Every structure is written in C-alpha cells, then in structure tokens.
C-alpha cells in the first residue's frame, strides 16, 4: 500500500513537532514527520544544494551536509550519498545533479533532473527501511512527484508475505513533498499532477506485468472497468464476441478463435470538453498473450508475451490519467482484446478473412496478428466517431526493436502537425519518439496476394514500415491525422533500468500520451 502525503500534513494520528529537537535548535522544517528526506546537489563547480531556502534547511544544517559530501568524492550525476542523523531526520539521501547549467538548461531538462533525482533518492531510502519520505520539490514539483511515484513500482503481490530473511515485506511507504518550488515556471504542473502522471504509468506497468492467466481479455476489461468506475466524465462499454460478429470484425475474430478465452472489445469515452469540441481517438492493441498461433514463436522469452497488450494497457492508463487530471478534452479509446493461441480452431497460414471495411486479407503469418485486430479497431473508431486525430499504440513488430532498441518508440504518421505534437510531448516527459517512414513503396509487397486484397505479412526487410502502411488501409478516411506508435521497442526494459526506469514491463509511453492530450487544453 502506498499513501501519499500532501504538503503540510503529517501521518494520521501522529503528533509531530520534529522540526525542533529538545535542544530547541531547528535543523529542517519538517511538520510531516519525515524520517527520510531526498535532496539534490549540483556537484560540478561549486558544491551547492538545489534547495537554497534557509526556511526549510537551516544554514548550519546545510553546511554540515556539504561538509560531509565534500569528503565523500561526490561528483558524478546520479551518485547518491546517505547521511544519518542529520538534525531531526534519521536519514538524508543526497543525489548528485551534476552540472547546474546542463541540468537546468530548459524546461524538459529541469523536469528530468528532478524526476531522476527523486527516483534514485526514494529507492535508496526505501531500501534503508524508511517509512515516511519527503522529496525536495525546489527544482520541479511535477518532475519530482513523477520520479517518486515511478520509483516505487513493484509487483510482489504473488510472492510469499515474508522475504528470504524471514522479514515481512513492507506494506506501507509514504512519500510527500519537502520544501517549495523555487522555479519561475508558472505552469499548471505541480506535485499532484506529477503523482497522476506517475500513477498512470504504474497502472500500465501493473496491467502488463500481471501473468497472462490472471490478465485474460475478460479480466483486463473487468479490471479497467473497476478502476474507471465512478470517475468523472467516463463511460465504459465492454463488447463481446456476438457484438464483434454483428460488426463484421472478422479480422479481429480470426485471431481470437484459437483460444478458449472469450474476446472482448473495450470502449472508453471521456467527455471532459464541450459537446462541440473535437474528439481525439486512441486505439490500443490488446493481445493478452501471444504465442504466435499456428506460426508458433520460439519458446525462449515467450513468457514476455504477456506484455503484448502493452498498447491496450497504455491506452487504459492514459484514460485514467486524463480523468484524474480532469482535462477539458474529449477522447474515445478502443482496445480489441484477445489471446493468440494454436488449436484446432485457430486461423491457419493461407486462410483469408474479410475485415470490417470489406477488404480481404490473406493470413501469411499468424504471428502477425496485432495488425489484424487493429485493422477492425481502426475502421470502427474512424468510421463511427470521425475523430479529429487517431493514435494507435501497439507492441507490433520485432523489426521495430531491431531498428530503435529500447530507447525510442517509433512513430509512423501521415501528419507533420501530429508528429510535432507527439515529439514535443515526448521531449517534455523524456519518454521520447522517433519518426519512421510511412511511404507507399512499402504497400506494394502487402498487396502481393493472389487470392486477397492484402497479405498480413511480407518479407522481413522494412517490417515495421510494412506493418504501418498495412494499418493505413483500414482508416475510413485516409485524410484523418493518424499516427501509429510501434512500442515493441520499449515494452520491456532490461538495459536502462535505473531510478524511475525499472527492470521489467515499462508502461511506456503513458506519460507522453497524457502530455499530448494535455497540450490540446
């Protein structure tokens, strides 16, 4: 359980006046009874604490901290030093922010500095059994809250209550703001908004990390409906197989038919704007487990395919975030949900299905199933709601992983304006995108079938671009600003794990999509 402390509030039921010790000397202003505090310090050039307020940190306390840091060879950005018994606080984690000019050169740099430092400090103090931690918000409160929230994510609810040492796992960890924002940025982003951005990505992480037997299409729909139930301006529709049959979503149905788990088509409406305001569309791929179907994947690493619903998880988490933020926008989101498994009923290579828009598709490879379910979802949302723009998010191709590694998500779009908006949002959150080619030349091999309008898979070269151009064929209006986000490259983090970028399912790019939608307000 994670409880969040608001500024100026202490733990319920605890009388706190710890900012004054028995000697009558004030070391920190600490009405929240923090037993651990995270501070940042610039370490290139003159060593200085980022929090310069003598109201929150007494000058003598500041000098004591800096004296200890100087003796510890404290220089490299990201380094952390843990100080004990500094005044009235049991533990103080000081994180190096590196060069002040580089750390504060623009808005996104400032937020990333606060985000990273908060995450490293929170993780350090949590390992040291701190229970009630204050995070310095003097650099940027939104970024600090994001980092503090993201750093706390764990998925240990399926483990035994006691660890290997026989100790009970921590169940309570409080995090709150320490100090005040001293920047000149007059923006609507603050500690509370940072919490929401971080909690939203953690929600996506939770959905993606849950084992596939505990996160079937049916369970996913129920979990999301429960999380969003009662939230302002949210309507949820959960459709079943019979509905999909009536909609003639045969492409979607062909993927689901190999599994005994029933498919679901989740539809979420957020109506935060006026009735006359534009509607923005989101589509998320929701393959809750992908074995490859008859075109079976190799066994090594197949367990990670529980995360093949990362697009659906990101979309659901985004809807949670914008509702919590009460953004004045209108958004409709759809997520087709199914398992892709082999069986006597499963679609076979060479089978032909007719999608909702009437185009026939020869299934060359049943492991290219994501584009089959997205085809019907894209046509459904673009024909029924005619949104001002559509973004689909999918862990779609291994080719995208080869192209970009796990740093960027790839963006294929027919709109320079939409690309610029996504690029700016990704730069702000530092969960960034890289533009990829959407070109008609990639469509020719996708029309190579002798028996159908399209094939669902062609040669491996340019695989991500061929998948993207295939999806474009299912827009009801090809002039709708549309972006396809291939997030296969950022689904799972094994190399960048540090601070708020933890090992495992990432939940990316939830914060960037929330920021993109916020930019429309």
């Amino acid at each position: 359980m994670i409880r969040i402390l608001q500024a100026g509030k202490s733990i319920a039921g605890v009388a706190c006046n710890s900012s004054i010790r028995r000697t009558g000397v004030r070391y920190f202003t600490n009405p929240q009874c923090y037993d651990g505090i995270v501070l940042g310090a610039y370490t290139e050039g003159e060593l200085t604490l980022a929090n310069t307020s003598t109201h929150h940190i007494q000058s003598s306390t500041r000098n004591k901290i800096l004296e200890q840091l100087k003796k510890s060879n404290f220089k490299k950005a990201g380094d952390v030093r843990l100080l004990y018994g500094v005044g009235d606080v049991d533990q103080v984690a000081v994180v190096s922010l590196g060069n002040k000019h580089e750390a504060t050169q623009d808005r996104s740099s400032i937020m990333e500095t606060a985000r990273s430092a908060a995450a490293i400090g929170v993780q350090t103090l949590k390992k040291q059994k701190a229970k009630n931690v204050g995070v310095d918000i003097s650099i940027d409160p939104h970024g600090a809250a994001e980092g503090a929230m993201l750093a706390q994510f764990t998925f240990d609810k399926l483990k035994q209550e006691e660890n290997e040492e026989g100790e009970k796992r921590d169940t309570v960890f409080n995090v709150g703001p320490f100090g005040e924002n001293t920047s000149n940025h007059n923006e609507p982003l603050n500690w509370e908004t940072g919490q929401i951005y971080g909690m939203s990505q953690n929600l996506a992480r939770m959905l993606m990390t849950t084992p596939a037997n505990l996160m079937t299409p049916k369970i996913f729909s129920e979990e999301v409906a429960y999380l969003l139930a009662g939230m302002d301006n949210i309507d949820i529709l959960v459709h079943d197989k019979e509905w999909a049959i009536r909609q003639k979503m045969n492409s979607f149905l062909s993927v689901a038919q190999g599994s005994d788990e029933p498919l679901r088509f989740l539809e979420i409406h957020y109506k935060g704007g006026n009735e006359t305001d534009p509607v923005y569309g989101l589509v998320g791929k929701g393959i809750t487990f992908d074995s490859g179907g008859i075109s079976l994947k190799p066994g090594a690493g197949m367990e990670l395919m529980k995360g093949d619903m990362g697009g659906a998880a990101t979309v659901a988490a985004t809807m949670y975030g914008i509702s919590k933020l009460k953004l004045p926008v209108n958004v409709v989101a759809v997520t087709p949900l199914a398992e892709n498994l082999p069986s006597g009923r499963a679609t076979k290579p060479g089978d032909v299905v007719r999608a909702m828009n009437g185009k026939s598709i020869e299934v060359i490879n049943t492991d290219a199933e994501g584009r089959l379910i997205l085809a019907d979802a894209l046509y459904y949302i673009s024909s029924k709601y005619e949104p001002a723009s559509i973004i689909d998010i999918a862990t779609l191709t291994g080719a995208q992983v080869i192209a970009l590694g796990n740093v960027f998500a790839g963006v294929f779009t027919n709109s320079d304006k939409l690309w610029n908006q996504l690029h700016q949002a990704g730069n702000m959150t530092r969960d960034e995108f890289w533009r990829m080619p959407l070109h008609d030349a990639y469509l020719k091999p996708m029309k190579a079938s002798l028996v159908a309008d399209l094939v669902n898979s062609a040669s491996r070269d340019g695989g991500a671009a061929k998948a993207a151009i295939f999806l474009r064929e299912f827009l009801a209006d090809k002039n709708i600003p549309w972006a396809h986000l291939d997030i296969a490259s950022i689904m799972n983090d094994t190399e960048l794990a540090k601070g708020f970028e933890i090992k495992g399912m990432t939940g990316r790019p939830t914060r960037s999509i929330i920021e993109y939608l916020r930019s429309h307000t």
Side-chain angles (χ1 to χ4, degrees):
M1 181 177 115
I2 297 172
R3 284 189 291 163
I4 308 301
L5 292 183
Q6 305 301 321
K9 295 183 180 179
S10 59
I11 302 177
V14 177
C16 180
N17 192 23
S18 64
S19 62
I20 307 294
R21 294 183 66 84
R22 290 187 179 90
T23 59
V25 178
R26 178 171 63 83
Y27 294 90
F28 292 97
T29 299
N30 183 22
Q32 299 93 340
C33 300
Y34 295 134
D35 60 357
I37 289 178
V38 179
L39 300 176
Y42 300 109
T43 51
E44 290 192 21
E46 183 183 2
L47 181 64
T48 57
L49 293 182
N51 189 321
T52 59
S53 170
T54 56
H55 173 70
H56 296 101
I57 307 175
Q58 189 74 3
S59 296
S60 58
T61 306
R62 183 186 312 278
N63 293 335
K64 182 178 179 180
I65 292 172
L66 293 174
E67 182 181 344
Q68 293 191 47
L69 293 177
K70 289 175 183 178
K71 294 178 180 179
S72 68
N73 195 29
F74 181 60
K75 292 183 179 180
K76 184 180 177 182
D79 282 353
V80 60
R81 296 292 183 269
L82 196 59
L83 311 179
Y84 297 93
V86 180
D88 52 334
V89 177
D90 294 340
Q91 303 176 83
V92 177
V94 187
V95 182
S96 171
L97 309 177
N99 181 280
K100 184 174 183 178
H101 173 72
E102 293 178 359
T104 60
Q105 61 183 336
D106 55 36
R107 185 73 177 97
S108 63
S109 297
I110 292 170
M111 292 178 69
E112 179 70 358
T113 296
R115 190 181 295 122
S116 297
I120 292 170
V122 164
Q123 288 177 337
T124 300
L125 290 171
K126 190 173 183 181
K127 288 177 182 177
Q128 293 298 116
K129 309 299 183 184
K131 300 293 185 184
N132 184 28
V133 172
V135 177
D136 181 23
I137 61 172
S138 62
I139 305 170
D140 184 87
H142 177 90
E146 279 187 311
M149 292 303 300
L150 293 170
Q152 294 179 65
F153 179 78
T154 58
F155 191 94
D156 55 8
K157 64 181 181 181
L158 302 179
K159 296 182 179 181
Q160 292 182 326
E161 289 188 7
E162 295 183 352
N163 60 23
E164 294 178 357
E165 287 75 32
E167 300 173 334
K168 284 198 172 184
R169 299 183 186 279
D170 292 336
T171 56
V172 176
F173 185 70
N174 300 300
V175 176
F178 171 78
E180 59 187 18
N181 182 19
T182 57
S183 70
N184 296 319
H185 303 288
N186 184 23
E187 293 192 9
L189 296 177
N190 50 47
W191 176 265
E192 287 73 24
T193 60
Q195 287 178 282
I196 294 170
Y197 276 55
M199 285 190 292
S200 299
Q201 184 171 337
N202 283 347
L203 170 57
R205 285 170 165 176
M206 183 274 291
L207 293 169
M208 294 174 70
T209 304
T210 302
N213 63 319
L214 304 178
M215 193 54 67
T216 63
K218 181 175 181 290
I219 296 173
F220 183 99
S221 299
E222 291 171 347
E223 287 282 324
V224 172
Y226 176 78
L227 285 165
L228 299 180
M231 297 185 74
D232 292 342
N233 303 315
I234 286 277
D235 291 320
I236 305 165
L237 300 172
V238 181
H239 303 297
D240 59 10
K241 178 180 177 180
E242 286 67 33
W243 176 89
I245 292 172
R246 291 196 300 272
Q247 300 297 319
K248 299 182 180 180
M249 291 184 171
N250 299 311
S251 187
F252 174 34
L253 287 159
S254 73
V255 175
Q257 68 190 40
S259 174
D260 290 335
E261 291 291 343
L263 66 79
R264 290 291 185 267
F265 191 95
L266 182 62
E267 195 170 330
I268 308 169
H269 295 256
Y270 174 73
K271 301 174 182 177
N274 297 320
E275 288 187 8
T276 56
D277 290 345
V279 175
Y280 301 97
L282 298 177
V283 179
K285 172 188 170 184
I287 297 296
T288 58
F289 188 77
D290 182 18
S291 71
I294 296 295
S295 306
L296 194 65
K297 293 178 181 290
M302 193 190 288
E303 71 280 0
L304 296 177
M305 289 300 97
K306 66 182 182 180
D308 206 26
M309 32 63 80
T314 298
V315 165
T318 295
M319 299 301 279
Y320 171 85
I322 64 174
S323 180
K324 293 286 284 186
L325 290 167
K326 302 185 185 302
L327 294 185
V329 294
N330 297 323
V331 183
V332 58
V334 298
T335 62
L337 298 155
E339 290 184 337
N340 184 27
L341 296 178
S343 74
R345 301 186 307 274
T347 295
K348 305 172 293 295
D351 287 356
V352 174
V353 297
R354 191 172 297 279
M356 186 181 178
N357 72 341
K359 290 183 183 289
S360 58
I361 306 166
E362 182 180 5
V363 180
I364 301 298
N365 186 338
T366 65
D367 195 24
E369 85 299 329
R371 64 202 71 178
L372 294 176
I373 71 171
L374 289 173
D376 284 338
L378 282 168
Y379 184 74
Y380 175 78
I381 194 172
S382 61
S383 61
K384 182 168 184 177
Y385 297 110
E386 299 181 351
S389 67
I390 299 173
I391 298 174
D392 78 72
I393 307 171
T395 50
L396 205 65
T397 66
Q400 189 67 62
V401 183
I402 300 301
L404 295 180
N406 60 356
V407 179
F408 297 97
V411 176
F412 302 80
T413 181
N414 60 5
S415 168
D416 291 338
K417 180 180 179 181
L418 182 53
W419 159 248
N420 288 330
Q421 291 169 338
L422 286 168
H423 178 62
Q424 290 170 10
N427 184 57
M428 180 67 78
T429 62
R430 290 296 177 94
D431 188 355
E432 299 182 76
F433 304 109
W434 195 268
R435 191 169 190 179
M436 303 290 286
L438 185 74
H439 195 282
D440 286 339
Y442 293 107
L443 185 59
K444 184 177 180 179
M446 304 306 289
K447 290 185 172 182
S449 175
L450 298 177
V451 296
D453 297 316
L454 296 163
V455 294
N456 79 323
S457 182
S459 58
R460 296 183 65 185
D461 54 294
K466 290 172 182 174
I469 205 72
F470 173 90
L471 292 176
R472 192 190 65 178
E473 294 300 292
F474 298 92
L475 294 172
D477 179 357
K478 292 183 181 179
N479 292 317
I480 294 177
W482 160 71
H484 161 58
L485 274 56
D486 193 335
I487 63 169
S489 52
I490 60 171
M491 178 188 83
N492 186 57
D493 196 345
T494 57
E495 298 176 0
L496 300 179
K498 183 180 180 182
F500 62 88
E501 294 173 327
I502 62 176
K503 186 176 181 179
M505 296 296 169
T506 65
R508 296 170 59 190
T510 300
R511 290 182 296 113
S512 293
I513 303 303
I514 293 173
E515 180 62 22
Y516 157 78
L517 291 168
R518 191 184 72 86
S519 72
H520 289 284
T521 62

